[in-house]
Amino acid sequence: MDSGFDYWAAKAALDWQIELGADEAIGDAPVDRYALDAARAKPTAPVAAPNAVPVPAAPDDPVAEARRLAAGARDLGGLAAAMEGFEHCALKAGARSFVFCDGNPDARLMIVGEAPGREEDRAGRPFVGRAGQLLDRMLAAIGMARAAPDAAHAVYITNVLPWRPPENRRPERAEIAMFLPFLEAHIALARPEVLVLMGNTPCDALLGRSGITRMRGSWTEVLGVPALPMFHPAFLLRQPQAKREAWADLLDVQARLRGRG
């Protein structure tokens, strides 16, 4: 069959196509691209490609899932299990330990901090580093201790987040939001008489505002419980001149627990 090309003309045409970047034969017959464009303009039903990887469905709303799990917890053990199994927070993958609480859950006083640091991540308990040691000394000054067996002198401690943020950075808003339902359930199940909010993060989570320098020393309420914002011990280590205000706040907590607040 005469194609209209002699050998040299055909070779020249092939060389020209190779120079343009055509390096593979797609079909034996020519394709009318104008006809293809017309066909593409017509709506057609989507066809799945063979061996296509299915696109996963969008994940559930983390905050809604946290609310569901928190509402289902009937005791502190159930709440801890629900939080540890919560898979929506990326911090879990980089942390060593799940840090839930420390102290006596029957304590009249409950302290809420920010998040675990390096020492807390290693120990699996909140407030065990330098800031935690300072906190223990502060509490001892008013006759309180996390290890006290009686509820009147005991302290129960937790954090907004149970997983350590990388480089001890401040928790992000999305992280706070997804753990807030757990924190609210934690307070409801522990039933403290007095709450201390240590630093900006618990104030942001439970009160919806921050600015601890302005807020400290002023009583407010969280879930029906009297709550006092205070400086975080880590801040006091950096700013020891603020210990005077912290001591005044501790005396205020002591007076409230004794019924004089």
Side-chain angles (χ1 to χ4, degrees):
M1 177 176 169
D2 185 5
S3 61
F5 281 116
D6 59 21
Y7 170 81
W8 296 109
K11 184 177 184 304
L14 179 60
D15 290 340
W16 177 71
Q17 292 183 62
I18 292 173
E19 287 292 328
L20 291 177
D23 58 1
E24 185 176 356
I26 303 302
D28 295 331
V31 177
D32 185 348
R33 298 293 174 184
Y34 294 102
L36 282 180
D37 290 340
R40 288 194 187 103
K42 298 178 182 178
T44 57
V47 178
N51 302 320
V53 177
V55 178
D60 295 335
D61 177 8
V63 177
E65 178 68 4
R67 289 197 193 102
R68 184 185 69 79
L69 292 172
R74 295 292 175 261
D75 53 33
L76 292 173
L79 181 66
M83 290 177 66
E84 190 169 12
F86 183 70
E87 298 293 344
H88 291 283
C89 183
L91 296 178
K92 180 177 180 179
R96 177 181 299 185
S97 300
F98 170 69
V99 181
F100 182 64
C101 70
D102 195 19
N104 187 341
D106 295 323
R108 299 173 63 200
L109 174 62
M110 182 175 183
I111 294 175
V112 181
E114 179 177 280
R118 183 181 65 176
E119 298 302 322
E120 290 76 15
D121 188 37
R122 288 178 175 175
R125 294 164 47 226
F127 284 94
V128 297
R130 289 182 62 218
Q133 294 164 15
L134 175 57
L135 175 61
D136 287 341
R137 295 195 297 271
M138 292 165 62
L139 293 171
I142 59 170
M144 309 290 289
R146 66 177 93 191
D150 61 309
H153 298 92
V155 180
Y156 185 61
I157 304 175
T158 190
N159 281 317
V160 175
L161 301 187
W163 306 106
R164 179 195 179 194
E167 304 299 325
N168 292 353
R169 65 160 171 77
R170 185 174 178 181
E172 297 174 353
R173 287 296 182 108
E175 295 164 348
I176 295 173
M178 70 176 71
F179 279 105
L180 178 58
F182 294 117
L183 178 58
E184 292 175 337
H186 204 158
I187 295 169
L189 290 168
R191 295 182 297 176
E193 295 180 27
V194 173
L195 273 173
V196 167
L197 310 181
M198 287 280 186
N200 273 317
T201 296
C203 291
D204 194 6
L206 293 167
L207 301 177
R209 60 186 189 273
S210 57
I212 192 64
T213 303
R214 298 187 306 272
M215 297 171 61
R216 61 135 297 269
S218 298
W219 285 93
T220 182
E221 193 173 278
V222 173
L223 302 175
V225 181
L228 184 67
M230 286 184 58
F231 289 131
H232 195 284
F235 174 80
L236 298 176
L237 289 172
R238 298 191 302 269
Q239 303 288 339
Q241 67 272 18
K243 290 182 179 180
R244 181 175 181 176
E245 288 87 351
W247 175 239
D249 293 342
L250 285 171
L251 293 177
D252 209 0
V253 169
Q254 183 183 53
R256 178 63 65 110
L257 289 169
R258 291 179 177 177
R260 299 198 303 267

